[in-house]
Amino acid sequence: MAVEFSLIDRIRARCRGCGDVVLGIGDDCALLQPPAGQQLAVSTDTLVAGVHFPQDTAPADLGWKALAVNLSDLAAMAAQPAWCTLALTLPGGDAGWLEAFLDGFLGLAAQHGIALVGGDTTRGPLTVSVTVMGFVPAGQALRRDAARVGDEIWVTGWLGDAAAALRQWQAGVDVAAELRARLDRPTPRVAAGLALRGLAGASIDISDGLLADLGHVLKASRVGAELQLAALPTSAALLAAYPQDDARWPLQLAGGDDYELCFTADIGRRDAIVAALSAIGVEARVIGRIVPGDGVRLFCADGSRWQAPATGYQHFAEGDA
Ligand code: ADP
Ligand code: MG
């Protein structure tokens, strides 16, 4: 008990409320003042040691990632981050571990102006659960059900880096630093989400792999998709680690942990999207288009359908309907 309270005191000492936090950490509830005319976007994600992150993840990286994966959900809906809560389950009461965790968590929070307003602290196997809240003007959220036949399909950033890092780590080989950084410290595309208000149709963040997450959009919108594999955005580090298409494409299509945005847009919006995203320094590219029907069809540069290699990747067959 005493340990729990001293940990909470440490968290409280590092949190300053801002104007819309009427009452932050310290009472039974936080009191928050949402702005008039805005809808509240709310999302929760939990990270469990050994399931969602390697056991050797540094506490500062874990703090960063726990918030980043939640900010990514706000980004996908084009919501402006406002408040968050943090439920921490810790095996011990290690103050040094907590301070390092807070370095990562609060460092990213400061970048996005999101205030930590409450939470819970308990003892048990290491688990971090974060709830984020953000604002979006009524009717302007980007949803999964808004893709239309003929729309282009876009992705921000690069796909497959995090999955490659995890694969290398699991195989016990040296993990390239650029790839490991994308696994441990993903960049939530908050600014991109905000820039896409009024431009994108449907949107989703890629947490479980492009095919799985695009699949949610297709299902919700009752449409299908065709993707050009040669258009998948590929970092130099990933290309160096996995030069062969058959080894790299599965990581980019089904690997997960990318936290990029996948969105659809009318072809007529192409120039406006390029302008809006380049103004905030975010790269994005068209990887395919929405077609009638359902499921995803994958094409090679020569126009042939691509057959996934038989080895591994049980997620893969699911998306390649
Ligand atoms: P209660 O027993 O009434 O739920 P707690 O003792 O769990 O209250 O928490 C006391 C205060 O500290 C509350 O305001 C709670 O929101 C906050 N708090 C507890 N754990 C955390 C945490 N990990 N991060 C942020 N705030 C926390
Ligand atoms: Mg409690």
Side-chain angles (χ1 to χ4, degrees):
M1 257 329 203
V3 174
E4 176 192 334
F5 291 130
S6 85
L7 292 179
I8 295 172
D9 283 344
R10 284 178 182 274
I11 296 171
R12 187 179 184 180
R14 292 182 60 170
C15 292
R16 275 175 301 276
C18 40
D20 54 13
V21 181
V22 181
L23 189 60
I25 294 172
D27 212 315
D28 290 311
C29 297
L31 292 175
L32 308 170
Q33 187 62 58
Q38 306 263 328
Q39 292 175 334
L40 195 58
V42 181
S43 179
T44 301
D45 258 316
T46 299
L47 301 184
V48 179
V51 178
H52 300 99
F53 57 92
Q55 296 277 2
D56 73 339
T57 302
D61 290 336
L62 180 57
W64 173 288
K65 185 161 182 174
L67 183 58
V69 304
N70 279 276
L71 286 170
S72 180
D73 286 317
L74 291 179
M77 304 282 293
Q80 173 72 56
W83 308 308
C84 62
T85 61
L86 169 63
L88 270 179
T89 304
L90 305 174
D94 183 345
W97 188 97
L98 179 68
E99 293 291 349
F101 176 91
L102 291 174
D103 289 345
F105 189 98
L106 296 175
L108 183 62
Q111 284 183 24
H112 291 279
I114 189 168
L116 178 60
V117 299
D120 197 22
T121 305
T122 55
R123 193 180 287 266
L126 179 59
T127 304
V128 184
S129 188
V130 175
T131 297
V132 286
M133 288 158 273
F135 307 134
V136 62
Q140 286 191 36
L142 301 178
R143 302 161 44 140
R144 298 179 179 189
D145 60 4
R148 301 289 174 260
V149 171
D151 282 356
E152 290 180 313
I153 301 167
W154 296 70
V155 275
T156 60
W158 303 271
L159 296 177
D161 291 0
L166 191 60
R167 229 178 144 63
Q168 289 181 329
W169 178 79
Q170 284 166 339
V173 301
D174 275 349
V175 183
E178 299 98 316
L179 300 178
R180 181 73 200 227
R182 294 263 294 160
L183 177 66
D184 289 338
R185 295 215 168 200
T187 304
R189 299 295 188 183
V190 173
L194 295 176
L196 289 168
R197 279 183 189 169
L199 293 175
S203 166
I204 194 166
D205 72 312
I206 305 173
S207 51
D208 297 328
L210 174 66
L211 290 182
D213 290 314
L214 175 59
H216 297 316
V217 168
L218 301 179
K219 205 165 178 191
S221 301
R222 299 165 183 267
V223 291
E226 292 181 354
L227 298 184
Q228 300 299 327
L229 292 164
L232 293 175
T234 306
S235 72
L238 180 64
L239 196 58
Y242 292 89
Q244 293 198 317
D245 291 342
D246 279 357
R248 191 181 64 256
W249 285 340
L251 297 171
Q252 298 183 281
L253 294 167
D257 261 349
D258 295 298
Y259 301 104
E260 298 292 352
L261 298 185
C262 176
F263 59 96
T264 69
D266 187 274
I267 288 183
R269 309 262 193 191
R270 190 188 288 184
D271 293 345
I273 288 170
V274 169
L277 294 182
S278 61
I280 54 167
V282 173
E283 288 184 42
R285 59 191 299 180
V286 173
I287 59 165
R289 62 193 182 98
I290 298 291
V291 296
D294 58 19
V296 183
R297 276 175 294 164
L298 303 170
F299 292 93
C300 303
D302 64 4
S304 63
R305 288 280 298 273
W306 184 62
Q307 296 305 323
T311 49
Y313 308 113
Q314 67 267 49
H315 287 304
F316 194 79
E318 207 178 305
D320 189 30

